[in-house]
Amino acid sequence: NGRVYSKELWEKALESDYVKEQVALKHFVGEADHPEERLEPIIKEMSHSITDFEFHDESSEVWATIDILDTPNGHLLKTLLDYSGSLSFSTRGSGDVMENGEVDPDTYQLFAIDAVLRPSYPTATITALTESDQNNYTDKQAISLIEKYSGSKFSASEDLDDVDDPLRFLPTQAVL
């Protein structure tokens, strides 16, 4: 895009309280494509979450760990990734551009990193892909989480430790 993003800019952006808090909460999300007229990500459009950032001094590159979410737009990204084996990404932020084309590190705020077809930086693509199954919950843990966050209660005719088919447990109210 013709702008220069300095090492100082990235260090400040990635160390900002906003970015650190959003990453820690797993709320630093991106979308499939840049939105036209807003900086803030919105829930109904999110496709992925950035869970970690690293700045590589030797290459002056920002690396991010990205989880593709189980959302309609996340499914779209997964389909594209399965088809082509790669996805590209582009930052969404705001800051003053100085006369020399450099973005002012003191005014820049990073809001999101979005999946795009044509990034302004050619190597802004996935370099490693792994599948993770980090949420291996027992039936008891899963039911407890569903009850906690949905407000629904599960009814059971037997102890959960003896459950062979967790699908027999249905919420008494559908608040999911």
Side-chain angles (χ1 to χ4, degrees), residues 13 30 34 39 67 91 157 172:
H34 286 312
L39 289 170
D67 288 344
T91 58
S157 59
T172 56

Side-chain angles (χ1 to χ4, degrees), residues 51-147:
T51 61
D52 190 29
F53 283 108
E54 297 174 29
F55 185 82
H56 289 245
D57 282 321
E58 65 282 355
S59 61
S60 295
E61 293 177 337
V62 175
W63 288 27
T65 302
I66 297 172
D67 288 344
I68 295 176
L69 301 175
D70 187 12
T71 63
N73 287 332
H75 289 242
L76 178 65
L77 292 189
K78 177 78 167 79
T79 299
L80 289 169
L81 188 58
D82 288 345
Y83 178 72
S84 70
S86 101
L87 287 172
S88 297
F89 293 88
S90 179
T91 58
R92 184 179 352 153
S94 175
D96 296 333
V97 180
M98 299 181 284
E99 286 184 27
N100 64 359
E102 186 174 331
V103 178
D104 184 354
D106 294 323
T107 63
Y108 184 75
Q109 183 175 357
L110 178 64
F111 287 93
I113 296 178
D114 296 318
V116 297
L117 290 176
R118 290 174 181 60
S120 58
Y121 191 72
T123 60
T125 58
I126 289 179
T127 57
L129 179 65
T130 59
E131 289 200 30
S132 174
D133 196 11
Q134 294 177 354
N135 296 331
N136 292 324
Y137 298 117
T138 65
D139 292 335
K140 243 182 181 174
Q141 291 169 321
I143 289 171
S144 174
L145 287 170
I146 291 169
E147 287 178 345

Side-chain angles (χ1 to χ4, degrees), residues 142-143 145-152 154 170-171 173-176:
I143 289 171
L145 287 170
I146 291 169
E147 287 178 345
K148 178 179 178 180
Y149 292 107
S150 72
S152 295
F154 281 75
L170 299 174
Q173 298 177 315
V175 195
L176 299 176

Side-chain angles (χ1 to χ4, degrees), residues 15-55:
E15 288 301 315
S16 74
D17 290 339
Y18 171 80
V19 170
K20 287 169 67 172
E21 176 184 289
Q22 294 300 300
V23 169
L25 293 170
K26 294 188 176 183
H27 290 179
F28 198 90
V29 297
E31 300 177 14
D33 287 323
H34 286 312
E36 288 188 29
E37 296 186 19
R38 66 181 157 76
L39 289 170
E40 287 286 338
I42 58 175
I43 290 172
K44 68 180 182 176
E45 297 298 331
M46 63 187 184
S47 58
H48 58 280
S49 176
I50 290 81
T51 61
D52 190 29
F53 283 108
E54 297 174 29
F55 185 82

